[in-house]
Amino acid sequence: MCGIAAYYGKRSAVPILLDALKVLEYRGYDSCGLAVYDGKIRYVKTVGKVSELLKKSGELPDSASIGIAHTRWATHGRVTVSNTHPHFDCKKRIGIVHNGIIENYQSLKKFLEGRGHKFRSRTDSEVIAHLFEEMLRNYPEEEAFINSVKLLEGAFAIVALYGDKLFLARKSSPLVIGIKDSEFFIASDTVAISRHTDKFIFLDDNEVGIIRDRNLEIKNLDGFDVNKEIKRIKRTEEEIDRGRFETFMLKEIFEQVETVENAYKGRVDFKAAVPVFGGIDFDKIKKFRRIILFACGSSYNAGLYAKYLFDRFFDCHVEYASEFKYADKKISKRDLLVAISQSGETIDVLEALRKYKEKALASLGIVNVVSSSIAREVDAGIYLHAGREIGVAATKTYTSQLLTLFLFWIYLARKFNYIDFATAKRYIDELKKLPGKVGSVLKREMEIKKLARKYVKFGNALFLGRKFNYPTALEGALKLKEISYVHAEALSAGEMKHGPIALVDDRFYSVFIVPHDSITDKVINNMEEIKARSGKIIAVTTKGRSLKQIKRLSDDVIVIPGTKEEFLPVLGIVPLQLFAYHIARLKGLDVDKPRNLAKTVTVE
Ligand code: M6R
């Protein structure tokens, strides 16, 4: 999704901005641009990669020490140079970069055109520059900017370059200011600027920032000063380094040995066999009667996994955040809301949280990115501790979500005495074996690569599983779709016979997640149904009494280590991540930045 970078200081702005854009590439984009101020605004824009922008940037003055930059992920208007940010007012005295969507841009544009403004793009963003220009006719700069922001509806993070000053605004879309002496680094994501500083101010909704005369002021929309806390966030070099791996996605798949451990390390009282969540006040949440999990994409799949756990003892619902926020669901002081989001910025999740949180008993966030909007807006947050995920496709954060949700379930089950010490201890003992078991699945990479070679020509795939393995089927299909562009569908294996089985012929293959658990025999029946119709089968299974039968029914088999039923999804997804990865690589695709996708989805 779109990325913003800006700089105000004493060094040459162009290399700092290009470097930040390079880091923001992981979010996904299709064009980029950069503007600096050096007595007047000068700029370059391009469709395509930051490396193209770098080639053009020689046209810009080295002496400019203030500027703005942007990677655009098209929403309003096609991918063209004229639609690429920065956008300008009529006289090119104001340059703006914007993330989000201005929902009332059409009426604003009509009004501004009526006042003689000439537009150069088809974007919603350009209205911001003209609106600021229009306001400057009647108001001093600070008031003009605030008055412009007040007229905008929708979601936005904005940086405007006007003379040798920067004007910032935020509503629902993240914007952070990094501070180092009298230098200011602004970005939509701390990772873009964290090599320069570890001191950050996060702009909150309806706040503006003004940087002028080497000074930063934060104000609310009434023009009053706002005191902001400076947060310290440390960066580790390896976060944006691929190390020995050819892609970030592969590195992140392999990191799961450590991230799985990080998900429970320091969070479990092994003696008492109970997880400890420092931020959660159990006395506050214990009156809940219903748990509502909401999320999007992979995070939703993790939520669905958790539903199978919570359903055992509690009334649990799992919702797509994009549906939930418009659902007008009856929420009461007996509801515990749980927002799940790797980035902590997904707008659908954030807006659903905002809509319901006051009505609910409490809101929790299961989030990876520290200090993200969702982490800051929930009553209590549980971090994944998975480290920055750069690959657009969620991999390590997904398995961390599964385990974090598992720990939260067992925490509640222990607190309410639904699970005794001995049972909990058996789970915790097995938990400690998971990193090693993930490691042994990863050792099968070459075998899985071979399998990818065999199936790379197929244009359709079905992923099938039941109970805890149904979310694994959904997540396996999502991986294949998003990075290798293969049409893949996931179903609960029991649903096949109700229609989708009509699809099956020898041009389809089905991936069955069929480990030895409480439902193996039922899934084997579903495999028979596919086999009877000449469908090809890949089975992901464990050693056990039905292995022979599973092998007989399958064209190919991947054997993963056995574990408790509740942990099978953690191991089961790893070969599917590798399978999708190798299919995509064999097709020569850019797995870290798949087409049309964004890492952080900050538009509806
Ligand atoms: O940051 P979030 O977890 O809120 O993101 C939700 C989805 O956008 C995300 O999981 C998406 O589906 C990924 N591309 C999955 O690989």
Side-chain angles (χ1 to χ4, degrees):
M1 202 108 309
C2 302
I4 286 179
Y7 174 70
Y8 179 107
K10 47 197 178 215
R11 286 185 275 162
S12 178
V14 174
I16 294 173
L17 293 173
L18 283 170
D19 177 68
L21 289 190
K22 199 89 196 104
V23 179
L24 288 171
E25 281 192 307
Y26 82 95
R27 295 162 66 100
Y29 70 107
D30 31 47
S31 62
C32 49
L34 189 157
V36 290
Y37 179 78
D38 184 28
K40 67 177 200 171
I41 288 182
R42 295 161 198 266
Y43 66 94
V44 286
K45 298 185 189 190
T46 188
V47 164
K49 304 270 174 193
V50 175
S51 50
E52 290 303 312
L53 197 66
L54 175 70
K55 287 182 200 156
K56 293 188 170 185
S57 65
E59 298 164 23
L60 299 173
D62 284 342
S63 51
S65 59
I66 169 167
I68 55 177
H70 193 261
T71 48
R72 174 174 188 252
W73 188 81
T75 57
H76 292 59
R78 294 168 60 82
V79 182
T80 60
V81 171
S82 56
N83 287 338
T84 300
H85 299 221
H87 292 291
F88 303 99
D89 66 325
C90 297
K91 296 194 181 121
K92 293 200 175 160
R93 289 185 312 146
I94 301 166
I96 67 100
V97 287
H98 162 233
N99 283 1
I101 292 177
I102 305 300
E103 284 169 2
N104 59 337
Y105 84 99
Q106 271 167 326
S107 57
L108 289 173
K109 190 170 175 178
K110 204 166 158 204
F111 160 74
L112 289 162
E113 280 174 335
R115 302 278 299 162
H117 292 260
K118 296 272 178 284
F119 282 75
R120 303 178 186 92
S121 78
R122 312 285 299 224
T123 65
D124 54 328
S125 307
E126 192 183 346
V127 293
I128 302 164
H130 293 278
L131 193 56
F132 191 11
E133 179 182 37
E134 180 65 26
M135 289 290 177
L136 281 166
R137 288 183 185 168
N138 299 314
Y139 300 98
E141 58 189 28
E142 186 178 315
E143 248 181 295
F145 184 69
I146 291 179
N147 286 345
S148 309
V149 172
K150 280 184 183 166
L151 288 180
L152 302 176
E153 288 169 17
F156 49 82
I158 299 165
V159 183
L161 172 65
Y162 174 52
D164 59 353
K165 292 151 243 172
L166 292 178
F167 292 81
L168 285 49
R170 175 208 153 123
K171 190 178 158 207
S172 288
S173 211
L175 198 60
V176 61
I177 307 159
I179 302 168
K180 188 185 178 196
D181 307 322
S182 53
E183 284 183 295
F184 300 96
F185 305 85
I186 298 101
S188 45
D189 188 332
T190 53
V191 73
I193 49 177
S194 59
R195 72 174 46 178
H196 302 289
T197 181
D198 63 354
K199 287 195 240 159
F200 299 98
I201 289 179
F202 291 87
L203 222 54
D204 281 308
D205 278 0
N206 301 316
E207 286 177 353
V208 297
I210 301 151
I211 306 176
R212 56 188 163 192
D213 304 326
R214 300 177 177 223
N215 193 37
L216 165 71
E217 299 156 79
I218 310 276
K219 302 194 177 255
N220 61 24
L221 294 184
D222 295 322
F224 293 115
D225 288 338
V226 181
N227 269 333
K228 300 289 287 183
E229 185 194 344
I230 297 182
K231 299 207 168 162
R232 292 195 96 106
I233 300 176
K234 285 256 171 284
R235 163 189 190 264
T236 49
E237 269 309 316
E238 61 272 20
E239 274 186 357
I240 50 169
D241 179 1
R242 282 203 308 261
R244 68 183 169 88
F245 294 94
E246 57 188 15
T247 63
F248 281 109
M249 184 176 172
L250 193 63
K251 175 179 178 242
E252 286 155 4
I253 291 174
F254 274 79
E255 272 173 8
Q256 289 175 111
V257 178
E258 292 97 55
T259 53
V260 157
E261 189 178 352
N262 288 347
Y264 66 81
K265 209 169 65 181
R267 201 173 256 166
V268 177
D269 177 343
F270 289 102
K271 244 178 162 180
V274 67
V276 184
F277 290 107
I280 295 179
D281 178 353
F282 180 70
D283 284 334
K284 186 177 172 202
I285 64 167
K286 70 181 179 195
K287 285 190 226 81
F288 77 84
R289 288 286 171 273
R290 185 168 66 160
I291 300 176
I292 301 174
L293 310 160
F294 55 102
C296 303
S298 295
S299 299
Y300 172 86
N301 297 340
L304 184 60
Y305 155 81
K307 179 175 161 56
Y308 285 96
L309 292 170
F310 288 112
D311 272 349
R312 287 174 174 170
F313 308 127
F314 310 102
D315 181 9
C316 178
H317 295 224
V318 57
E319 307 273 353
Y320 283 115
S322 51
E323 289 294 318
F324 184 41
K325 71 176 176 180
Y326 295 117
D328 298 330
K329 202 166 175 101
K330 190 169 182 299
I331 299 293
S332 77
K333 290 291 171 196
R334 289 300 177 94
D335 289 320
L336 180 61
L337 300 183
V338 182
I340 312 167
S341 172
Q342 182 285 126
S343 62
E345 300 293 353
T346 301
I347 194 93
D348 290 328
V349 183
L350 188 59
E351 290 187 347
L353 174 71
R354 286 176 178 167
K355 174 167 176 177
Y356 294 116
K357 77 173 184 181
E358 299 309 331
K359 295 181 188 155
L361 173 67
S363 59
L364 303 181
I366 296 188
V367 168
N368 193 39
V369 178
V370 175
S371 284
S372 52
S373 301
I374 292 168
R376 287 181 289 125
E377 294 195 24
V378 288
D379 296 326
I382 306 175
Y383 284 119
L384 301 180
H385 302 306
R388 175 74 58 170
E389 190 173 66
I390 301 281
V392 163
T395 52
K396 61 175 179 172
T397 55
Y398 177 71
T399 43
S400 296
Q401 284 171 338
L402 297 178
L403 283 174
T404 307
L405 285 158
F406 171 84
L407 289 172
F408 183 53
W409 168 71
I410 205 162
Y411 165 85
L412 290 179
R414 290 282 284 133
K415 288 276 189 194
F416 286 105
N417 276 324
Y418 291 127
I419 283 184
D420 61 15
F421 171 80
T423 314
K425 181 146 180 7
R426 280 196 291 277
Y427 279 119
I428 303 292
D429 287 345
E430 180 59 22
L431 190 63
K432 288 194 269 183
K433 295 183 192 153
L434 282 183
K437 291 188 178 185
V438 169
S440 67
V441 180
L442 290 169
K443 283 199 184 115
R444 319 199 73 138
E445 189 198 357
M446 286 308 126
E447 186 188 319
I448 294 164
K449 190 172 176 179
K450 225 166 120 189
L451 212 60
R453 274 195 209 108
K454 183 169 166 187
Y455 289 92
V456 68
K457 291 269 176 323
F458 282 77
N460 299 290
L462 286 170
F463 284 72
L464 302 152
R466 295 181 81 157
K467 204 175 170 182
F468 286 109
N469 305 306
Y470 171 44
T472 308
L474 286 167
E475 182 61 10
L478 183 61
K479 291 306 90 155
L480 192 63
K481 277 186 267 208
E482 62 184 345
I483 62 162
S484 41
Y485 318 150
V486 172
H487 168 232
E489 272 191 62
L491 292 160
S492 157
E495 282 298 300
M496 269 305 280
K497 56 188 174 293
H498 299 292
I501 200 162
L503 290 169
V504 174
D505 60 23
D506 59 2
R507 286 165 301 168
F508 251 86
Y509 68 92
S510 302
V511 181
F512 273 90
I513 301 100
V514 55
H516 287 84
D517 58 11
S518 60
I519 199 158
T520 319
D521 295 340
K522 302 289 169 203
V523 183
I524 289 176
N525 290 341
N526 302 138
M527 292 174 77
E528 296 273 11
E529 292 156 11
I530 301 274
K531 192 74 189 165
R533 286 157 184 86
S534 308
K536 295 213 174 331
I537 293 178
I538 302 175
V540 176
T541 186
T542 51
K543 282 188 184 145
R545 63 188 158 76
S546 304
L547 184 59
K548 256 193 178 162
Q549 200 183 355
I550 290 169
K551 282 188 169 167
R552 180 184 58 78
L553 288 168
S554 310
D555 296 87
D556 294 283
V557 177
I558 304 167
V559 182
I560 59 169
T563 181
K564 282 193 163 292
E565 179 169 32
E566 293 80 354
F567 296 137
L568 282 166
V570 176
L571 302 181
I573 191 59
V574 178
L576 303 185
Q577 293 168 343
L578 286 169
F579 181 69
Y581 178 83
H582 283 293
I583 296 254
R585 292 295 286 170
L586 289 166
K587 291 174 82 176
L589 300 172
D590 181 351
V591 295
D592 284 337
K593 294 189 274 297
R595 71 180 179 203
N596 305 338
L597 296 185
K599 184 71 185 161
T600 311
V601 184
T602 47
V603 293
E604 274 206 74

